[in-house]
PDB file of all heavy atoms in Angstrom:
ATOM      1  N   HIS A 166     -10.611  12.486   0.476  1.00 97.00           N
ATOM      2  CA  HIS A 166      -9.394  11.546   0.549  1.00 97.00           C
ATOM      3  C   HIS A 166      -8.777  11.499   1.939  1.00 97.00           C
ATOM      4  O   HIS A 166      -8.388  10.389   2.373  1.00 97.00           O
ATOM      5  CB  HIS A 166      -8.371  11.946  -0.463  1.00 97.00           C
ATOM      6  CG  HIS A 166      -7.482  10.911  -0.896  1.00 97.00           C
ATOM      7  ND1 HIS A 166      -6.530  10.979  -1.853  1.00 97.00           N
ATOM      8  CD2 HIS A 166      -7.312   9.593  -0.443  1.00 97.00           C
ATOM      9  CE1 HIS A 166      -5.848   9.876  -2.024  1.00 97.00           C
ATOM     10  NE2 HIS A 166      -6.333   8.988  -1.204  1.00 97.00           N
ATOM     11  N   GLU A 167      -8.672  12.626   2.613  1.00 96.00           N
ATOM     12  CA  GLU A 167      -8.206  12.537   3.993  1.00 96.00           C
ATOM     13  C   GLU A 167      -9.033  11.724   4.970  1.00 96.00           C
ATOM     14  O   GLU A 167      -8.444  11.024   5.759  1.00 96.00           O
ATOM     15  CB  GLU A 167      -8.041  14.046   4.446  1.00 96.00           C
ATOM     16  CG  GLU A 167      -6.905  14.845   3.912  1.00 96.00           C
ATOM     17  CD  GLU A 167      -5.509  14.070   4.093  1.00 96.00           C
ATOM     18  OE1 GLU A 167      -5.202  13.621   5.146  1.00 96.00           O
ATOM     19  OE2 GLU A 167      -4.764  14.021   3.008  1.00 96.00           O
ATOM     20  N   ARG A 168     -10.283  11.807   4.838  1.00 97.00           N
ATOM     21  CA  ARG A 168     -11.158  10.990   5.651  1.00 97.00           C
ATOM     22  C   ARG A 168     -10.955   9.536   5.276  1.00 97.00           C
ATOM     23  O   ARG A 168     -11.018   8.630   6.151  1.00 97.00           O
ATOM     24  CB  ARG A 168     -12.649  11.407   5.615  1.00 97.00           C
ATOM     25  CG  ARG A 168     -12.900  12.668   6.395  1.00 97.00           C
ATOM     26  CD  ARG A 168     -14.385  12.904   6.756  1.00 97.00           C
ATOM     27  NE  ARG A 168     -15.346  12.325   5.852  1.00 97.00           N
ATOM     28  CZ  ARG A 168     -15.726  12.967   4.685  1.00 97.00           C
ATOM     29  NH1 ARG A 168     -15.205  14.080   4.311  1.00 97.00           N
ATOM     30  NH2 ARG A 168     -16.635  12.409   3.958  1.00 97.00           N
ATOM     31  N   ILE A 169     -10.822   9.163   4.011  1.00 98.00           N
ATOM     32  CA  ILE A 169     -10.632   7.881   3.543  1.00 98.00           C
ATOM     33  C   ILE A 169      -9.298   7.368   4.115  1.00 98.00           C
ATOM     34  O   ILE A 169      -9.219   6.227   4.513  1.00 98.00           O
ATOM     35  CB  ILE A 169     -10.666   7.750   2.081  1.00 98.00           C
ATOM     36  CG1 ILE A 169     -12.076   7.920   1.515  1.00 98.00           C
ATOM     37  CG2 ILE A 169     -10.109   6.351   1.561  1.00 98.00           C
ATOM     38  CD1 ILE A 169     -12.226   8.072   0.001  1.00 98.00           C
ATOM     39  N   LYS A 170      -8.236   8.148   4.072  1.00 96.00           N
ATOM     40  CA  LYS A 170      -6.991   7.780   4.581  1.00 96.00           C
ATOM     41  C   LYS A 170      -7.014   7.283   6.100  1.00 96.00           C
ATOM     42  O   LYS A 170      -6.272   6.391   6.437  1.00 96.00           O
ATOM     43  CB  LYS A 170      -5.972   8.868   4.418  1.00 96.00           C
ATOM     44  CG  LYS A 170      -5.484   8.987   2.970  1.00 96.00           C
ATOM     45  CD  LYS A 170      -4.446  10.156   2.837  1.00 96.00           C
ATOM     46  CE  LYS A 170      -4.023  10.424   1.481  1.00 96.00           C
ATOM     47  NZ  LYS A 170      -3.020  11.511   1.488  1.00 96.00           N
ATOM     48  N   ILE A 171      -7.862   7.984   6.818  1.00 97.00           N
ATOM     49  CA  ILE A 171      -7.932   7.574   8.206  1.00 97.00           C
ATOM     50  C   ILE A 171      -8.432   6.172   8.404  1.00 97.00           C
ATOM     51  O   ILE A 171      -7.877   5.337   9.126  1.00 97.00           O
ATOM     52  CB  ILE A 171      -8.888   8.634   8.946  1.00 97.00           C
ATOM     53  CG1 ILE A 171      -8.216   9.969   9.054  1.00 97.00           C
ATOM     54  CG2 ILE A 171      -9.195   8.031  10.447  1.00 97.00           C
ATOM     55  CD1 ILE A 171      -9.145  11.060   9.534  1.00 97.00           C
ATOM     56  N   GLU A 172      -9.448   5.926   7.684  1.00 97.00           N
ATOM     57  CA  GLU A 172     -10.015   4.430   7.571  1.00 97.00           C
ATOM     58  C   GLU A 172      -9.032   3.544   6.956  1.00 97.00           C
ATOM     59  O   GLU A 172      -8.912   2.425   7.431  1.00 97.00           O
ATOM     60  CB  GLU A 172     -11.317   4.398   6.826  1.00 97.00           C
ATOM     61  CG  GLU A 172     -12.454   5.019   7.705  1.00 97.00           C
ATOM     62  CD  GLU A 172     -12.639   4.289   9.024  1.00 97.00           C
ATOM     63  OE1 GLU A 172     -12.812   2.935   9.003  1.00 97.00           O
ATOM     64  OE2 GLU A 172     -12.732   4.880  10.092  1.00 97.00           O
ATOM     65  N   GLU A 173      -8.324   4.003   5.926  1.00 96.00           N
ATOM     66  CA  GLU A 173      -7.369   3.026   5.199  1.00 96.00           C
ATOM     67  C   GLU A 173      -6.217   2.616   6.183  1.00 96.00           C
ATOM     68  O   GLU A 173      -5.876   1.505   6.236  1.00 96.00           O
ATOM     69  CB  GLU A 173      -6.764   3.816   3.969  1.00 96.00           C
ATOM     70  CG  GLU A 173      -5.964   3.025   3.081  1.00 96.00           C
ATOM     71  CD  GLU A 173      -5.543   3.878   1.862  1.00 96.00           C
ATOM     72  OE1 GLU A 173      -5.085   4.980   2.060  1.00 96.00           O
ATOM     73  OE2 GLU A 173      -5.841   3.374   0.815  1.00 96.00           O
ATOM     74  N   ARG A 174      -5.783   3.567   7.024  1.00 97.00           N
ATOM     75  CA  ARG A 174      -4.702   3.238   7.902  1.00 97.00           C
ATOM     76  C   ARG A 174      -5.298   2.258   8.949  1.00 97.00           C
ATOM     77  O   ARG A 174      -4.517   1.191   9.292  1.00 97.00           O
ATOM     78  CB  ARG A 174      -4.230   4.466   8.575  1.00 97.00           C
ATOM     79  CG  ARG A 174      -3.416   5.429   7.735  1.00 97.00           C
ATOM     80  CD  ARG A 174      -3.096   6.652   8.414  1.00 97.00           C
ATOM     81  NE  ARG A 174      -2.710   7.626   7.429  1.00 97.00           N
ATOM     82  CZ  ARG A 174      -3.286   8.870   7.323  1.00 97.00           C
ATOM     83  NH1 ARG A 174      -4.208   9.328   8.155  1.00 97.00           N
ATOM     84  NH2 ARG A 174      -2.811   9.631   6.292  1.00 97.00           N
ATOM     85  N   ARG A 175      -6.386   2.496   9.471  1.00 97.00           N
ATOM     86  CA  ARG A 175      -7.029   1.594  10.467  1.00 97.00           C
ATOM     87  C   ARG A 175      -7.315   0.113   9.852  1.00 97.00           C
ATOM     88  O   ARG A 175      -6.895  -0.807  10.496  1.00 97.00           O
ATOM     89  CB  ARG A 175      -8.272   2.176  10.946  1.00 97.00           C
ATOM     90  CG  ARG A 175      -9.011   1.310  12.091  1.00 97.00           C
ATOM     91  CD  ARG A 175     -10.476   1.748  12.300  1.00 97.00           C
ATOM     92  NE  ARG A 175     -11.286   1.499  11.100  1.00 97.00           N
ATOM     93  CZ  ARG A 175     -11.804   0.279  10.661  1.00 97.00           C
ATOM     94  NH1 ARG A 175     -11.284  -0.808  11.308  1.00 97.00           N
ATOM     95  NH2 ARG A 175     -12.491   0.129   9.570  1.00 97.00           N
ATOM     96  N   LEU A 176      -7.711   0.168   8.758  1.00 98.00           N
ATOM     97  CA  LEU A 176      -8.007  -1.082   8.030  1.00 98.00           C
ATOM     98  C   LEU A 176      -6.720  -1.881   7.712  1.00 98.00           C
ATOM     99  O   LEU A 176      -6.686  -3.117   7.927  1.00 98.00           O
ATOM    100  CB  LEU A 176      -8.805  -0.844   6.759  1.00 98.00           C
ATOM    101  CG  LEU A 176      -9.541  -2.025   6.101  1.00 98.00           C
ATOM    102  CD1 LEU A 176     -10.545  -2.606   7.111  1.00 98.00           C
ATOM    103  CD2 LEU A 176     -10.170  -1.608   4.813  1.00 98.00           C
TER     104      LEU A 176
END
Side-chain angles (χ1 to χ4, degrees):
H166 202 176
E167 285 306 312
R168 285 202 327 281
I169 290 171
K170 285 179 183 180
I171 292 167
E172 283 301 306
E173 190 175 51
R174 292 176 195 123
R175 182 195 63 76
L176 194 63

